Each structure stands twice: as structure tokens, then as C-alpha cells.
Amino acid sequence: MTFIQLTRCAAYAATARTQNRPHRIAWPSVAAAELAHRLLHMPVDERRAEIADMHDATLMDVLITLDLHTGSAYELWHDTPSGFAEDVLGLTLTDEHRAVLDAAAGPDVRRVAARVPHPDNHLLAAVLMAWAALVSCPRPYGDVPRVAVSFSQYRDSSASVWRALARFIDRASLPGTLDLTRRAWWVDDDGPQRLLAFALWNTDPYAIGGLHQYFAVAADADRIADPDMRAAIGYIAEEVYGGSRLVALGGTTDEPEEWFELYESCDQVTIPTDPAK
């Protein structure tokens, strides 16, 4: 995967947010609202094809409409993290990467485990965090933005994920402020400060007992050996009072299969195909 310049969708999404904050200076037409509603209910491939062929002014009207009514200018990609990565972040993905990303968007998914070798492990973790923080949370667990959480046992892993996230924010003009020292990302341009994402490491279930409605991404999950840390990331997906979701990404191609046993109750386990076979 390689980075490219600011994409058309990222540029117009950033402009749409500017026109809606802090003072409403745009009022979408009925036609734009109807088109936005139709696009949201299209199959993903058809929607992305129509977005690619759409006139710039029409796309701008749709993004302004969605930002006004859903609070997110990125809602067209609410069910396709891979589409968000390609259309907004400008990444080039393989079929295996798309499978891993989109497995996390299923409406009833609570756990996903996937093997993604370095360096793409950390990059996909950052993609999922950006996507989860900027769209409405995956249905049916709610209609409000969901906070993204990155889990990693080692600070070097956490730092790598957050550096990738910082590059996304800079290159795609994503909203908010990111503090790499405290590993926190927030917005406060349209009212009270709202947390978009934060990092946790070397924690246990008791430290996160009151937390719910999260989208948790465990980077280098195969390196997490501490029992308390494993219990903490498992708790996120099992907490019954909220619709939290866990994506565990293993970072190497030769780790023992035993690490998948922690996620044997996963809704989906995605392992990229060995090209040698």
C-alpha cells in the first residue's frame, strides 16, 4: 500500500465540514437529500461507482447534506472501510486487505481476527480507527459516532499505529486534533469537545469496566501475552451493556495458530491466502 495525494472525496468532505461549522452557511436542496438517501441504501459497489461518476457540485451537495443530518461528511462509506481507505485516504489495497477491513463492518459482527503481516498490520489498524471514528457506528448497535480504541501491549506498536493515523489526518484533511504524546484524537469545532480515539496498553478488565460502545482494534494481537491484557481486549467484545466491537490483527505470517484460540468465538476469522499455495 502506498500513499497518494489528497483525494477528491477527502477534499470535498473537508470542505463540506467547513461549510457546516461553526455556522451553517449551506442549505441542501430536496433533490440533494433524496440523492443522499438513495446512495446510502445502494449496494457498496454501485454506490462507489456512482460517486466516481458524480459531478463535483453534486457530490459536494450530497456530502453537505449527510454532514448536516448525520454529523459525518464520511457517511457514504459507513459500511465499507475498504472504500473509505481507497476513496478518502487514497490507499491502494489488495483483495486480502479489503476482506479484512470489510469484515469489521458487518452489522452483527462483534469479533474479527485476522493475520496481516507487517507493515500493513499497523496501517490497517489505523484505517479502521479513522473509519470507526468518523462514521456512525455500525448497525444495529446505535446511531451515534463510536469511539475508536487502539490496544497494543508494546509502546512501539502503539506509536506505529498512531503515526499512521497522524499521516491520514494530515494527508486526507480529516477533522480534529491528534496528540501523539497522549495518543488521543478529538474534535471541538462544533460544540463541546468530543473524543474520537484513544490508546490503551498494559491494562486489565477492571480498568475499563465502565466503558462501552467502542470500536477496539488490537494491533500485533499475536504478541499480546499478558493475561490481563488479553482479558481486557476480550471484555470489549463481551460487554453486554454496549455494542462494542473488537478487531484483532496478528502481525506475522509464522506465529503459532494458538493465538487464534483466544478468538475461537469470533464471528469472522480472516487469514490471507498464502501466495505459495
Side-chain angles (χ1 to χ4, degrees), residues 59-275:
L59 177 59
M60 175 64 72
D61 288 343
V62 168
L63 296 178
I64 289 173
T65 300
L66 290 172
D67 185 60
L68 183 64
H69 290 287
T70 70
S72 172
Y74 306 92
E75 197 68 7
L76 286 175
W77 299 273
H78 70 98
D79 53 357
T80 173
S82 66
F84 176 83
E86 293 177 324
D87 298 343
V88 178
L89 302 181
L91 296 178
T92 301
L93 303 177
T94 66
D95 289 341
E96 287 81 5
H97 295 144
R98 293 188 190 96
V100 171
L101 290 174
D102 289 338
D108 300 313
V109 170
R110 293 294 295 271
R111 293 183 178 198
V112 174
R115 177 182 289 123
V116 183
H118 287 298
D120 296 344
N121 177 281
H122 296 168
L123 203 61
L124 291 192
V127 167
L128 287 170
M129 290 181 63
W131 170 79
L134 294 176
V135 304
S136 295
C137 67
R139 299 340 186 240
Y141 298 116
D143 297 314
V144 296
R146 167 185 300 234
V147 177
V149 185
S150 72
F151 276 87
S152 53
Q153 186 168 344
Y154 302 100
R155 287 179 179 264
D156 60 338
S157 297
S158 179
S160 176
V161 171
W162 280 75
R163 283 195 299 269
L165 182 58
R167 290 196 297 271
F168 292 155
I169 293 172
D170 292 342
R171 292 174 183 268
S173 296
L174 302 183
T177 302
L178 185 142
D179 186 334
L180 278 176
T181 302
R182 295 186 293 172
R183 312 260 165 87
W185 179 22
W186 68 89
V187 291
D188 54 10
D189 58 357
D190 56 348
Q193 186 179 95
R194 182 172 69 84
L195 188 65
L196 295 176
F198 64 94
L200 286 175
W201 56 86
N202 292 337
T203 189
D204 58 60
Y206 300 103
I208 59 173
L211 306 183
H212 57 84
Q213 284 291 334
Y214 285 104
F215 189 102
V217 182
D220 291 336
D222 52 307
R223 295 177 62 196
I224 296 177
D226 181 75
D228 286 342
M229 187 69 172
R230 284 187 172 236
I233 63 176
Y235 171 83
I236 284 287
E238 296 171 355
E239 210 277 321
V240 297
Y241 297 107
S244 294
R245 185 169 302 206
L246 169 68
V247 181
L249 302 177
T252 62
T253 57
D254 57 354
E255 79 276 358
E257 293 293 330
E258 286 75 13
W259 83 270
F260 276 107
E261 293 180 2
L262 174 65
Y263 311 108
E264 60 186 5
S265 60
C266 279
D267 299 286
Q268 298 198 41
V269 176
T270 303
I271 306 175
T273 304
D274 186 349

